[in-house]
């Protein structure tokens, strides 16, 4: 199989790699600078690709795969919208890249990509039923069932941050109320160290645990992987979540699931984007 060029477009940075047989052979990082607008971000992506391809003929690549922090229309290859990329609505990113480089090009959501990344290269290797949560300024999710990414017919599966965990909770930017994401957000503001922050982290962990109980009861996963910036807090956040799952989830499923921190850090998405490309029929 030829190498894949993969890109992870996040709200703060763009990571681009060329990956060959599971090994990163070239990598470049730059800031997204999303406030400069859509065209400026797209130009930055294209010039990063050009730079990485300086010594490689595009015909030596299998494909290009883009993971984007936003809602994706998988079939049409659109970035539908993104809370992290102001002004992006129905952007034809896949076809723009495909036409420029004349290569098979794929586009998927970054949390879905991160789930695939951890499944292929990280803590979830060999685990065929896993759910990944990226806990940062929001909560993203990716679902692997029987070793395959589950997208749903619209490509919008895995919006675990917007599962309701409090019917009377605060309102969320998605239009619903009491979403997991709104209840966990207080935890993001917390700074580890003082006792108030520890209480807030424990509270966030408990909310996260309630969200996980729903996942465990629905999917009976072998593993729930927690990544994203907030995951660096580690067991301070995960222990309360594990406790809630143990107490409240269906017992046979609660015993089967391991709740673990992600392993690949900020490379999970870009590695997963490459894995996604390699999984596609051709
Ligand atoms: Zn919501």
């Amino acid at each position: 199989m030829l190498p894949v060029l993969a890109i992870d477009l996040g709200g703060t940075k763009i990571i681009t790699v060329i990956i060959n047989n599971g090994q990163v052979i070239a990598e470049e990082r730059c800031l997204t600078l999303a406030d400069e607008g859509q065209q400026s971000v797209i130009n930055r992506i294209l010039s990063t690709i050009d730079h990485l391809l300086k010594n490689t003929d595009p015909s030596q690549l299998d494909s290009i795969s883009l993971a984007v922090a936003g809602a994706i229309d998988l079939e049409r290859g659109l970035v539908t919208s993104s809370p992290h990329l102001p002004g992006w609505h129905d952007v034809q990113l896949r076809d723009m890249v495909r036409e420029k480089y004349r290569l098979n090009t794929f586009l998927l959501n970054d949390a879905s990509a991160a789930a695939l990344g951890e499944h292929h290269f990280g803590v979830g290797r060999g685990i065929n039923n896993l759910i990944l949560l990226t806990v940062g300024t929001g909560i993203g999710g990716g679902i692997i069932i029987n070793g395959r990414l589950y997208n749903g017919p619209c490509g919008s599966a895995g919006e675990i941050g917007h599962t309701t965990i409090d019917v009377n909770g605060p309102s969320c930017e998605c239009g619903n109320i009491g979403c997991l994401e709104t209840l966990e957000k207080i935890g993001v503001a917390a700074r580890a160290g003082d006792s108030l922050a520890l209480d807030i982290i424990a509270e966030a962990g408990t909310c996260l645990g309630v969200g996980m109980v729903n996942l465990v009861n629905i999917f009976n996963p072998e593993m729930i992987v927690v990544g994203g910036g907030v995951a660096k807090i580690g067991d301070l956040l995960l222990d309360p979540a594990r406790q809630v799952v143990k107490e409240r989830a269906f017992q046979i499923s609660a015993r089967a699931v391991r709740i673990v921190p992600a392993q690949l850090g900020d490379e999970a998405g870009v590695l997963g984007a490459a894995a996604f490309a390699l999984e596609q029929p051709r």
Side-chain angles (χ1 to χ4, degrees):
M1 187 71 90
L2 293 169
V4 173
L5 189 146
I7 299 150
D8 184 359
L9 169 58
T12 55
K13 61 179 179 284
I14 302 169
I15 306 175
T16 309
V17 303
I18 297 179
I19 182 163
N20 192 19
N21 294 323
Q23 299 292 321
V24 173
I25 56 171
E27 173 164 351
E28 201 160 305
R29 288 168 179 250
C30 63
L31 293 175
T32 306
L33 306 175
D35 290 339
E36 290 185 2
Q38 185 202 119
Q39 196 51 51
S40 152
V41 173
I42 291 171
N43 291 343
R44 232 180 321 280
I45 292 171
L46 298 178
S47 64
T48 307
I49 297 175
D50 288 342
H51 191 242
L52 271 179
L53 290 180
K54 220 169 40 184
N55 302 314
T56 312
D57 184 339
S59 68
Q60 297 303 304
L61 290 180
D62 172 79
S63 52
I64 297 178
S65 189
L66 302 124
V68 176
I72 302 299
D73 182 329
L74 270 187
E75 203 155 303
R76 291 155 66 206
L78 305 177
V79 180
T80 313
S81 64
S82 168
H84 309 285
L85 302 167
W88 287 56
H89 296 289
D90 291 340
V91 178
Q92 274 283 8
L93 187 60
R94 183 191 65 192
D95 291 353
M96 232 181 276
V97 172
R98 177 182 283 165
E99 275 152 33
K100 173 152 194 229
Y101 298 97
R102 303 197 172 279
L103 285 168
N104 271 332
T105 302
F106 306 101
L107 176 68
L108 77 163
N109 167 266
D110 63 341
S112 297
L116 271 178
E118 292 289 345
H119 169 60
H120 280 269
F121 303 110
V123 68
R125 263 174 302 176
I127 306 288
N128 282 329
N129 297 284
L130 74 82
I131 294 172
L132 172 127
L133 300 177
T134 57
V135 185
T137 48
I139 298 183
I143 303 166
I144 307 281
I145 299 175
N146 297 330
R148 304 280 299 178
L149 180 64
Y150 178 75
N151 293 303
C154 306
S156 61
E159 287 294 351
I160 293 157
H162 299 284
T163 49
T164 305
I165 65 165
D166 180 354
V167 287
N168 299 310
S171 45
C172 178
E173 61 199 23
C174 77
N176 202 347
I177 58 169
C179 293
L180 173 58
E181 185 167 301
T182 63
L183 289 148
E184 186 277 340
K185 255 179 186 161
I186 40 171
V188 177
R191 296 274 176 276
D194 64 73
S195 60
L196 178 65
L198 292 179
D199 287 350
I200 293 171
I201 293 167
E203 173 96 34
T206 300
C207 288
L208 199 58
V210 173
M212 288 178 184
V213 168
N214 295 328
L215 297 174
V216 166
N217 286 351
I218 296 167
F219 292 102
N220 177 209
E222 296 159 73
M223 184 179 273
I224 296 177
V225 181
V226 182
V230 172
K232 289 185 191 128
I233 298 169
D235 286 342
L236 282 179
L237 182 77
L238 295 189
D239 278 342
R242 290 179 180 120
Q243 189 60 32
V244 174
V245 168
K246 196 172 152 194
E247 287 168 8
R248 300 195 194 180
F250 201 62
Q251 282 307 300
I252 193 166
S253 306
R255 279 197 296 272
V257 69
R258 281 191 291 148
I259 297 167
V260 299
Q263 217 172 51
L264 300 175
D266 65 4
E267 290 194 331
V270 78
L271 295 177
F276 183 77
L278 296 171
E279 275 186 356
Q280 299 312 302
R282 51 202 77 221

